[in-house]
Amino acid sequence: MPKVAGINTTAPAPTQTDPPLDALSAAPGVLIQDQLAGWVSDLTTLHELTERLARTRFLDSALHELLRAGAALAGARRGLVLFEPADGLGPATTLGLGLSHADLGHLETVPRRATSYGRLLDGDGDGIGGPAEPVVVRDLLADTDAGAGAGAGAETGTGTRTRTGAETDPRQREVAARLGLGASYAVPLLVGGAGGHPAQSPQSPPPAQPPLPPLPAKLGAAVWLYDEPTEPTERQRHLIGLYLRYAGEHLSRLLELERARAHVTTLTRELLPGRLPRMPGVQLAARHRATPGGGGDWYDALPLPEGALSLAVGSVSGSGPGAPAATGRLRAALRAYAVMEGEDPIAVLSDLELLLRLTEPARTATALFAYAEPARRTLLLAGAGHAPPLVVGDRRTEFVETSLSAPLGMLSCWQAPSVELVTAPGETVLLYTDGLLRRTGEPMDRAFARLHAAAASVPATARDDPGAVADHVLRALPPAGPGPTGPGPAGPGPTGPPEPHEDFVLLAARFE
């Protein structure tokens, strides 16, 4: 458990006792100073914990940090968070602190309605565990006879509902005994403000843009688990409540970003081919990875008349939702040019460059276009500022010699010669974007050498399948180690799990 200023994570806060009257009369200033020191310590603690939470950039890392901070404040060793937005639009996840996958599996066997966090999320018939009331179970191991005279629950002075062993489920007691759990403290994860967004005052001018879709007011629940029958003190509950006020707002912002990333990822996926064509004499496979913020790398494979096939990969400058949109427009235009003049790759890329300069002068793009004739096992290639293809076979693994050329949109008139490639039976041609090289985090010359070594190490048994070739290359060419956004020794770090910082495309064509 991380050490936090003002909090002893191994023991609950000491019980407050009334000092002797002579002490009050002798040194009243000392008591005031002690109380002020306690307040300063609590404020320092909350500042440190909220600062650590504010540095998280992804939901999973924020939930892990919330569990660790809550455990430090509550004096617990283990915990569980169920992130389930009330609108049902997701994403939903369950994470544990100090609990293995087997422990989580045992907890899932307990009827949800019988758990404190289940009552917070779903409600119950007696009103215990409403949408804003933490729930304490003092003794998870007590049988039904131990709390027979206790009633449904008791409310503390802090608004927390307390349950005794009389209301615990037999299966819950069995799991608690197996895992060594003595008590639990469950709290809801809420978003301040109606609908998750601040309301507009009557005097406020109308917004310039359509309002954001409302976020759910209830995001889920967190529960911290104690090894012995106990409950958090009033001070601990107060600190947890203050911390969760900020945590709810932070989680709502991350939820909005997560959903936006999901929409961009869906848009990027829909703008790429839904499936690759099947043609005699050639087998195709593609691998694509996009960054959460959206990327501009794309690929295409289109059957042409007389048994020909066009293969293309490219990359559009920029990121965010605009990059996938520009990718879709560029790919649609290239398809039209490929149908009309695909046998001349130079003409295809020249027309594409002219279209880019006229319609999107602020963007640049790289592209590699190939006119393939599977029956002859030949490809006619032309590239615009793009990385050269790589041929993988039993007798050779080498880059195709292509001429140097500028990216599209960089010059007033683009032009470059084409190159013809003749493949041997069973050879695979790899077309890729430079994101595959940049993701290694190394200079380009070393990245090319690593790519060549990865392709040369493809086992002979895998060379009959272009998908297996592509997968082996990706496994042998891992991304760079986690940086500031990567995980720490004990799981996701303060800013989140590693994310793909470069989108890339890998298109493999094996000629028979």
Side-chain angles (χ1 to χ4, degrees):
M1 190 70 59
K3 294 183 178 179
V4 182
I7 294 293
N8 182 359
T9 59
T10 62
T15 304
Q16 299 293 331
T17 58
D18 295 332
L21 294 177
D22 54 352
L24 289 174
S25 58
V30 175
L31 298 178
I32 296 177
Q33 290 178 0
D34 289 344
Q35 190 174 26
L36 290 176
W39 289 346
V40 171
S41 176
D42 290 345
L43 291 175
T44 302
T45 297
L46 289 175
H47 176 73
E48 291 182 4
L49 295 178
T50 53
E51 281 290 314
R52 284 162 53 173
L53 183 65
R55 290 195 296 269
T56 59
R57 297 171 50 200
F58 299 92
L59 270 177
D60 280 358
S61 56
L63 294 174
H64 277 293
E65 179 58 36
L66 182 144
L67 277 177
R68 287 192 289 264
L73 293 173
R77 190 171 61 88
R78 289 175 284 184
L80 180 72
V81 61
L82 293 89
F83 190 79
E84 300 179 5
D87 57 9
L89 300 180
T93 185
T94 300
L95 300 174
L97 174 68
L99 299 170
S100 65
H101 290 292
D103 296 339
L104 293 176
H106 287 304
L107 290 173
E108 289 179 355
T109 64
V110 179
R112 182 167 168 135
R113 56 180 171 74
T115 62
S116 55
Y117 50 84
R119 292 185 172 97
L120 286 175
L121 293 173
D122 305 330
D124 57 8
D126 58 10
I128 304 299
E133 295 177 348
V135 177
V136 173
V137 180
R138 291 177 177 174
D139 191 352
L140 290 170
L141 299 177
D143 55 24
T144 54
D145 295 331
E155 185 172 357
T156 66
T158 58
T160 302
R161 294 297 183 122
T162 303
R163 290 181 176 270
T164 65
E167 292 81 32
T168 59
D169 183 84
R171 177 57 184 167
Q172 185 178 24
R173 294 195 299 273
E174 179 183 346
V175 172
R178 176 189 290 267
L179 302 183
L181 305 178
S184 68
Y185 179 60
V187 295
L189 302 179
L190 305 174
V191 181
H197 288 297
Q200 294 281 342
S201 63
Q203 293 79 17
S204 300
Q209 298 179 352
L212 294 171
L215 290 172
K218 185 187 294 185
L219 300 178
V223 57
W224 288 279
L225 305 168
Y226 297 90
D227 297 338
E228 302 292 339
T230 185
E231 62 179 295
T233 65
E234 184 175 352
R235 166 178 167 269
Q236 290 172 324
R237 295 175 186 176
H238 180 65
L239 290 177
I240 293 175
L242 294 176
Y243 177 79
L244 290 179
R245 289 184 187 178
Y246 175 80
E249 298 295 334
H250 184 67
L251 289 175
S252 69
R253 290 191 291 269
L254 294 182
L255 174 62
E256 198 168 7
L257 289 174
E258 191 80 12
R259 290 178 174 178
R261 293 189 189 107
H263 292 159
V264 172
T265 301
T266 302
L267 172 64
T268 303
R269 187 184 303 114
E270 292 298 324
L271 290 175
L272 295 175
R275 63 183 181 87
L276 294 173
R278 295 184 177 181
M279 298 182 61
V282 65
Q283 295 175 289
L284 301 176
R287 301 292 183 264
H288 174 255
R289 298 290 185 276
T291 58
D297 286 17
W298 56 275
Y299 68 94
D300 199 8
L302 179 66
L304 298 178
E306 300 180 359
L309 174 71
S310 73
L311 302 173
V313 294
S315 179
V316 176
S317 62
S319 60
T327 293
R329 293 189 293 268
L330 206 65
R331 175 173 165 259
L334 184 137
R335 281 195 152 202
Y337 297 144
V339 170
M340 293 186 297
E341 49 192 5
E343 67 280 359
D344 186 358
I346 298 299
V348 171
L349 292 185
S350 296
D351 291 341
L352 193 65
E353 195 271 342
L354 178 61
L355 178 70
L356 186 67
R357 282 195 294 111
L358 293 177
T359 59
E360 302 189 52
R363 288 192 183 273
T364 60
T366 66
L368 179 67
F369 181 81
Y371 177 79
E373 296 180 272
R376 299 175 53 210
R377 297 191 303 275
T378 61
L379 295 94
L380 192 59
L381 302 158
H386 208 82
L390 180 59
V391 181
V392 182
D394 294 333
R395 297 181 178 273
R396 61 172 175 171
T397 299
E398 61 184 23
F399 291 102
V400 180
E401 293 291 339
T402 56
S403 58
L404 295 176
S405 60
L408 303 176
M410 294 288 289
L411 302 178
S412 58
C413 181
W414 179 89
Q415 190 172 4
S418 59
V419 176
E420 185 176 16
L421 171 65
V422 180
T423 62
E427 287 187 333
T428 300
V429 179
L430 300 179
L431 311 180
Y432 53 93
T433 57
D434 55 0
L436 183 65
L437 303 170
R438 290 199 302 267
R439 72 195 289 260
T440 63
E442 298 185 1
M444 275 299 176
D445 55 345
R446 295 185 61 182
F448 274 115
R450 288 188 59 185
L451 176 58
H452 184 277
S457 65
V458 176
T461 56
R463 294 183 179 180
D464 294 337
D465 181 7
V469 173
D471 292 336
H472 177 87
V473 169
L474 293 180
R475 286 193 300 267
L477 198 71
T485 61
T495 54
E499 65 167 342
H501 61 283
E502 291 287 351
D503 55 334
F504 70 88
V505 161
L506 179 59
L507 178 61
R510 180 183 182 274
F511 291 87
E512 300 174 350

